[in-house]
Amino acid sequence: MAALELIEHLRAMGETNALLQRSKVLKKDTALATAAINESMYAAEDGTIPATFQVI
């Protein structure tokens, strides 16, 4: 799923520091629901989800 791939890319970039204060466990149902919502709102016709990254 594209949203789950995005999470992997953010982790690889070290952009998940905001998650340190949250629970260490992300339930599978929550991840799948989030991915489905994200895809329904932002997916292009080919199924990809455009994303931009801002360097601070």
Side-chain angles (χ1 to χ4, degrees), residues 1 3-4 6 8-9 14 17 21 25 34-35 37 48 52-54:
M1 299 187 118
L4 298 178
L6 175 60
E8 289 177 13
H9 287 284
N17 291 338
Q21 300 300 322
V25 178
T34 302
I37 292 168
T48 60
T52 58
F53 302 93
Q54 181 178 6

PDB file of all heavy atoms in Angstrom, residues 1 3-4 6 8-9 14 17 21 25 34-35 37 48 52-54:
ATOM      1  N   MET A   1       0.842  -1.189   0.000  1.00  0.00           N
ATOM      2  CA  MET A   1       0.000   0.000   0.000  1.00  0.00           C
ATOM      3  C   MET A   1       0.882   1.246   0.000  1.00  0.00           C
ATOM      4  O   MET A   1       1.908   1.282   0.670  1.00  0.00           O
ATOM      5  CB  MET A   1      -0.890   0.025   1.227  1.00  0.00           C
ATOM      6  CG  MET A   1      -1.830  -1.146   1.338  1.00  0.00           C
ATOM      7  SD  MET A   1      -2.944  -0.914   2.702  1.00  0.00           S
ATOM      8  CE  MET A   1      -4.450  -0.890   1.798  1.00  0.00           C
ATOM      9  N   ALA A   3       0.490   4.260   1.277  1.00  0.00           N
ATOM     10  CA  ALA A   3       0.642   4.985   2.543  1.00  0.00           C
ATOM     11  C   ALA A   3       1.635   4.285   3.467  1.00  0.00           C
ATOM     12  O   ALA A   3       2.423   4.947   4.152  1.00  0.00           O
ATOM     13  CB  ALA A   3      -0.709   5.137   3.237  1.00  0.00           C
ATOM     14  N   LEU A   4       1.625   2.987   3.457  1.00  0.00           N
ATOM     15  CA  LEU A   4       2.568   2.247   4.295  1.00  0.00           C
ATOM     16  C   LEU A   4       3.990   2.407   3.770  1.00  0.00           C
ATOM     17  O   LEU A   4       4.934   2.484   4.550  1.00  0.00           O
ATOM     18  CB  LEU A   4       2.164   0.776   4.369  1.00  0.00           C
ATOM     19  CG  LEU A   4       0.787   0.517   4.998  1.00  0.00           C
ATOM     20  CD1 LEU A   4       0.468  -0.975   4.978  1.00  0.00           C
ATOM     21  CD2 LEU A   4       0.700   1.067   6.396  1.00  0.00           C
ATOM     22  N   LEU A   6       5.019   5.099   2.304  1.00  0.00           N
ATOM     23  CA  LEU A   6       5.378   6.455   2.720  1.00  0.00           C
ATOM     24  C   LEU A   6       5.927   6.451   4.145  1.00  0.00           C
ATOM     25  O   LEU A   6       6.933   7.098   4.434  1.00  0.00           O
ATOM     26  CB  LEU A   6       4.169   7.385   2.625  1.00  0.00           C
ATOM     27  CG  LEU A   6       4.372   8.806   3.144  1.00  0.00           C
ATOM     28  CD1 LEU A   6       5.482   9.515   2.376  1.00  0.00           C
ATOM     29  CD2 LEU A   6       3.073   9.576   3.063  1.00  0.00           C
ATOM     30  N   GLU A   8       7.456   4.039   5.619  1.00  0.00           N
ATOM     31  CA  GLU A   8       8.803   3.460   5.560  1.00  0.00           C
ATOM     32  C   GLU A   8       9.818   4.499   5.082  1.00  0.00           C
ATOM     33  O   GLU A   8      10.918   4.597   5.621  1.00  0.00           O
ATOM     34  CB  GLU A   8       8.813   2.250   4.634  1.00  0.00           C
ATOM     35  CG  GLU A   8       8.084   1.056   5.204  1.00  0.00           C
ATOM     36  CD  GLU A   8       8.036  -0.112   4.232  1.00  0.00           C
ATOM     37  OE1 GLU A   8       8.766  -0.094   3.215  1.00  0.00           O
ATOM     38  OE2 GLU A   8       7.264  -1.043   4.489  1.00  0.00           O
ATOM     39  N   HIS A   9       9.450   5.290   4.075  1.00  0.00           N
ATOM     40  CA  HIS A   9      10.352   6.326   3.572  1.00  0.00           C
ATOM     41  C   HIS A   9      10.607   7.395   4.629  1.00  0.00           C
ATOM     42  O   HIS A   9      11.739   7.855   4.795  1.00  0.00           O
ATOM     43  CB  HIS A   9       9.789   6.965   2.304  1.00  0.00           C
ATOM     44  CG  HIS A   9       9.872   6.087   1.105  1.00  0.00           C
ATOM     45  ND1 HIS A   9      11.040   5.853   0.420  1.00  0.00           N
ATOM     46  CD2 HIS A   9       8.922   5.368   0.463  1.00  0.00           C
ATOM     47  CE1 HIS A   9      10.808   5.034  -0.582  1.00  0.00           C
ATOM     48  NE2 HIS A   9       9.530   4.720  -0.567  1.00  0.00           N
ATOM     49  N   GLY A  14      14.422   9.652   8.789  1.00  0.00           N
ATOM     50  CA  GLY A  14      14.514  10.130  10.164  1.00  0.00           C
ATOM     51  C   GLY A  14      13.444  11.146  10.506  1.00  0.00           C
ATOM     52  O   GLY A  14      13.614  11.970  11.403  1.00  0.00           O
ATOM     53  N   ASN A  17      10.390  11.506  14.330  1.00  0.00           N
ATOM     54  CA  ASN A  17      10.680  11.907  15.706  1.00  0.00           C
ATOM     55  C   ASN A  17       9.435  12.307  16.477  1.00  0.00           C
ATOM     56  O   ASN A  17       9.372  12.133  17.688  1.00  0.00           O
ATOM     57  CB  ASN A  17      11.707  13.040  15.726  1.00  0.00           C
ATOM     58  CG  ASN A  17      13.071  12.574  15.277  1.00  0.00           C
ATOM     59  OD1 ASN A  17      13.378  11.396  15.334  1.00  0.00           O
ATOM     60  ND2 ASN A  17      13.867  13.490  14.798  1.00  0.00           N
ATOM     61  N   GLN A  21       6.846  10.368  21.276  1.00  0.00           N
ATOM     62  CA  GLN A  21       6.001  10.610  22.441  1.00  0.00           C
ATOM     63  C   GLN A  21       4.734   9.755  22.431  1.00  0.00           C
ATOM     64  O   GLN A  21       3.987   9.769  23.381  1.00  0.00           O
ATOM     65  CB  GLN A  21       5.619  12.088  22.515  1.00  0.00           C
ATOM     66  CG  GLN A  21       6.810  13.014  22.636  1.00  0.00           C
ATOM     67  CD  GLN A  21       7.627  12.747  23.887  1.00  0.00           C
ATOM     68  OE1 GLN A  21       7.092  12.457  24.947  1.00  0.00           O
ATOM     69  NE2 GLN A  21       8.942  12.818  23.757  1.00  0.00           N
ATOM     70  N   VAL A  25       3.292   1.029  19.708  1.00  0.00           N
ATOM     71  CA  VAL A  25       2.558   0.022  18.960  1.00  0.00           C
ATOM     72  C   VAL A  25       1.521   0.697  18.061  1.00  0.00           C
ATOM     73  O   VAL A  25       0.673   1.450  18.534  1.00  0.00           O
ATOM     74  CB  VAL A  25       1.846  -0.966  19.913  1.00  0.00           C
ATOM     75  CG1 VAL A  25       1.039  -1.978  19.137  1.00  0.00           C
ATOM     76  CG2 VAL A  25       2.853  -1.651  20.817  1.00  0.00           C
ATOM     77  N   THR A  34      -5.991   3.959   8.043  1.00  0.00           N
ATOM     78  CA  THR A  34      -5.347   5.208   7.654  1.00  0.00           C
ATOM     79  C   THR A  34      -4.920   5.168   6.193  1.00  0.00           C
ATOM     80  O   THR A  34      -5.115   6.136   5.450  1.00  0.00           O
ATOM     81  CB  THR A  34      -4.130   5.476   8.555  1.00  0.00           C
ATOM     82  OG1 THR A  34      -4.583   5.519   9.913  1.00  0.00           O
ATOM     83  CG2 THR A  34      -3.441   6.768   8.199  1.00  0.00           C
ATOM     84  N   ALA A  35      -4.343   4.054   5.771  1.00  0.00           N
ATOM     85  CA  ALA A  35      -3.917   3.910   4.381  1.00  0.00           C
ATOM     86  C   ALA A  35      -5.104   4.000   3.429  1.00  0.00           C
ATOM     87  O   ALA A  35      -5.033   4.665   2.395  1.00  0.00           O
ATOM     88  CB  ALA A  35      -3.189   2.582   4.200  1.00  0.00           C
ATOM     89  N   ILE A  37      -8.027   5.520   3.926  1.00  0.00           N
ATOM     90  CA  ILE A  37      -8.528   6.898   3.895  1.00  0.00           C
ATOM     91  C   ILE A  37      -7.611   7.781   3.062  1.00  0.00           C
ATOM     92  O   ILE A  37      -8.063   8.564   2.215  1.00  0.00           O
ATOM     93  CB  ILE A  37      -8.680   7.456   5.327  1.00  0.00           C
ATOM     94  CG1 ILE A  37      -9.802   6.725   6.050  1.00  0.00           C
ATOM     95  CG2 ILE A  37      -8.929   8.962   5.302  1.00  0.00           C
ATOM     96  CD1 ILE A  37      -9.844   6.979   7.545  1.00  0.00           C
ATOM     97  N   THR A  48      -1.054   5.892  -7.379  1.00  0.00           N
ATOM     98  CA  THR A  48       0.013   6.491  -6.595  1.00  0.00           C
ATOM     99  C   THR A  48      -0.508   7.673  -5.786  1.00  0.00           C
ATOM    100  O   THR A  48      -1.540   8.251  -6.113  1.00  0.00           O
ATOM    101  CB  THR A  48       1.164   6.990  -7.504  1.00  0.00           C
ATOM    102  OG1 THR A  48       0.631   7.978  -8.397  1.00  0.00           O
ATOM    103  CG2 THR A  48       1.776   5.848  -8.280  1.00  0.00           C
ATOM    104  N   THR A  52       5.063  15.502  -1.069  1.00  0.00           N
ATOM    105  CA  THR A  52       6.158  16.466  -1.130  1.00  0.00           C
ATOM    106  C   THR A  52       6.820  16.518   0.249  1.00  0.00           C
ATOM    107  O   THR A  52       6.181  16.244   1.258  1.00  0.00           O
ATOM    108  CB  THR A  52       5.660  17.870  -1.500  1.00  0.00           C
ATOM    109  OG1 THR A  52       4.693  18.290  -0.525  1.00  0.00           O
ATOM    110  CG2 THR A  52       5.028  17.884  -2.873  1.00  0.00           C
ATOM    111  N   PHE A  53       8.089  16.842   0.253  1.00  0.00           N
ATOM    112  CA  PHE A  53       8.835  16.901   1.484  1.00  0.00           C
ATOM    113  C   PHE A  53       9.512  18.266   1.579  1.00  0.00           C
ATOM    114  O   PHE A  53      10.080  18.745   0.612  1.00  0.00           O
ATOM    115  CB  PHE A  53       9.896  15.790   1.555  1.00  0.00           C
ATOM    116  CG  PHE A  53       9.303  14.420   1.433  1.00  0.00           C
ATOM    117  CD1 PHE A  53       9.193  13.785   0.223  1.00  0.00           C
ATOM    118  CD2 PHE A  53       8.812  13.784   2.563  1.00  0.00           C
ATOM    119  CE1 PHE A  53       8.632  12.537   0.111  1.00  0.00           C
ATOM    120  CE2 PHE A  53       8.252  12.533   2.468  1.00  0.00           C
ATOM    121  CZ  PHE A  53       8.155  11.908   1.238  1.00  0.00           C
ATOM    122  N   GLN A  54       9.419  18.872   2.724  1.00  0.00           N
ATOM    123  CA  GLN A  54      10.015  20.186   2.929  1.00  0.00           C
ATOM    124  C   GLN A  54      11.211  20.041   3.855  1.00  0.00           C
ATOM    125  O   GLN A  54      11.106  19.485   4.928  1.00  0.00           O
ATOM    126  CB  GLN A  54       8.990  21.123   3.561  1.00  0.00           C
ATOM    127  CG  GLN A  54       9.525  22.515   3.792  1.00  0.00           C
ATOM    128  CD  GLN A  54       8.468  23.426   4.384  1.00  0.00           C
ATOM    129  OE1 GLN A  54       7.382  23.005   4.721  1.00  0.00           O
ATOM    130  NE2 GLN A  54       8.800  24.675   4.532  1.00  0.00           N
TER     131      GLN A  54
END
